[in-house]
Amino acid sequence: MTMRFTLGRAVHTALRDRGHQVVTASRKGADVHVDITDPRSIRAMYEQVAQREGDIDAVACAAGSVPWRPLAELGTDDIRGGLEGKAVSQIELVRQGIAHLPAHASYTLVTGILAREPLLTGSVAALVNGAVEAFVRAAAIELPGRQRINAVSPTVFEESLDAYGDTFAGFDAVPVARAANAYVKSVEGHRTGQIFLVE
Ligand SMILES: NC(=O)c1ccc[n+]([C@@H]2O[C@H](COP(=O)([O-])OP(=O)(O)OC[C@H]3O[C@@H](n4cnc5c(N)ncnc54)[C@H](OP(=O)(O)O)[C@@H]3O)[C@@H](O)[C@H]2O)c1
C-alpha cells in the first residue's frame, strides 16, 4: 500500500480550519516543489514561497523516510539514508529557515514513538527520531529572535495500520487528526523546545 501525505494532509486541514493560509510542499503533488534531502531545493522553496506569499510564519514538516530492516541486515547506506531522510533534512529546514524566516517564526518537526519504544526492524527510525528530538531541545535555546521549535512525536496512526501490518502489534493507534492537532498546539501555543507526544 502506498501512503501519501497521511500526516501532511491532516496537518494541512487542521491549520486551514484554524484560519491559517497554508502552502504545501513536497517532491510531487503539492503547491511548491521541494526535496528536503537537497539543501538547494530547500533554499529554492523558501525563496519561492517568500516571493509569492511574503513572510513565512511557521514551518510544519510532516515528511521524512527511514528504512525498516532487521539490525543484522542493515548496511551503512541504510543508516546514512535514514539520517539524511528524516534528521539532516529536517535540521536543514531549520538551519536555512533562520536566515529566511521572520523573528516570530516557528518550526514543527516530526519524530515518532520509536524514539522511546523499540520495535523489531526499527533501529534506524529510533536513532533518527531520537536525534531530531535532541536537536529540537538544543536548537530552542539558540534560535534567533523569538523563533520557536517543537517536535510532534506520534504513535502509529489508525490510517496507517494496513500499511504497517503487524509491525505495531500491541500498540494503541491514534487517529492522525490527533497528531495534526499537536501541530496546531506547536504553531499557536507559544511554547518551544517541546516534544509533543501523541499516543
Ligand atoms: N504513519 C504513521 O503511523 C506515523 C506515525 C508516527 C510518525 N510518523 C512519521 O510521520 C511522517 C509522515 O508519515 P506519513 O505516514 O504521513 O507518510 P506518507 O503518507 O508517506 O507521507 C509523507 C509525504 O512526505 C513527502 N516526502 C517524503 N520524502 C520527502 C522529501 N525528501 N522531500 C519532500 N517531501 C517528502 C511525500 O510526498 P512526495 O512523494 O510528493 O515528496 C509523502 O507523501 C514520517 O516522518 C513518519 O515517520 C508516521
Side-chain angles (χ1 to χ4, degrees):
M1 177 180 168
T2 307
M3 296 181 293
R4 292 285 294 157
F5 305 124
T6 312
L7 176 59
R9 185 171 287 122
V11 170
H12 182 196
T13 301
L15 291 172
R16 194 194 53 204
D17 288 353
R18 293 283 306 157
H20 298 283
Q21 183 191 353
V22 182
V23 178
T24 60
S26 81
R27 292 167 301 185
K28 45 192 184 295
D31 301 330
V32 173
H33 169 88
V34 71
D35 179 348
I36 61 169
T37 64
D38 177 356
R40 287 167 305 180
S41 178
I42 291 176
R43 187 173 314 120
M45 173 192 69
Y46 277 140
E47 287 171 359
Q48 189 182 341
V49 175
Q51 196 172 27
R52 213 199 277 178
E53 311 287 345
D55 274 354
I56 301 166
D57 300 313
V59 174
C61 183
S65 58
V66 292
W68 291 77
R69 194 156 292 166
L71 181 60
E73 295 175 17
L74 278 180
T76 46
D77 284 351
D78 294 317
I79 299 164
R80 289 199 179 98
L83 285 164
E84 284 286 335
K86 190 165 175 180
V88 177
S89 50
Q90 293 198 93
I91 290 165
E92 185 65 13
L93 278 174
V94 179
R95 195 189 70 79
Q96 291 200 31
I98 288 171
H100 283 95
L101 271 56
H104 62 269
S106 72
Y107 309 89
T108 307
L109 308 185
V110 62
T111 63
I113 194 168
L114 268 72
R116 52 195 180 279
E117 284 213 44
L119 262 186
L120 289 177
T121 72
S123 59
V124 175
L127 160 75
V128 167
N129 289 338
V132 173
E133 293 183 7
F135 171 76
V136 162
R137 283 188 286 264
I141 65 167
E142 284 199 52
L143 283 173
R146 288 171 289 111
Q147 287 195 357
R148 300 182 296 108
I149 183 168
N150 299 296
V152 173
S153 184
T155 187
V156 67
F157 306 137
E158 288 173 358
E159 291 80 354
S160 300
L161 282 175
D162 284 353
Y164 284 119
D166 290 334
T167 307
F168 285 89
F171 282 65
D172 292 320
V174 296
V176 70
R178 277 196 49 206
N181 211 24
Y183 278 75
V184 173
K185 190 196 289 185
S186 174
V187 169
E188 296 188 14
H190 299 276
R191 294 167 68 183
T192 192
Q194 303 297 305
I195 314 299
F196 294 121
L197 309 187
V198 182
E199 54 190 30

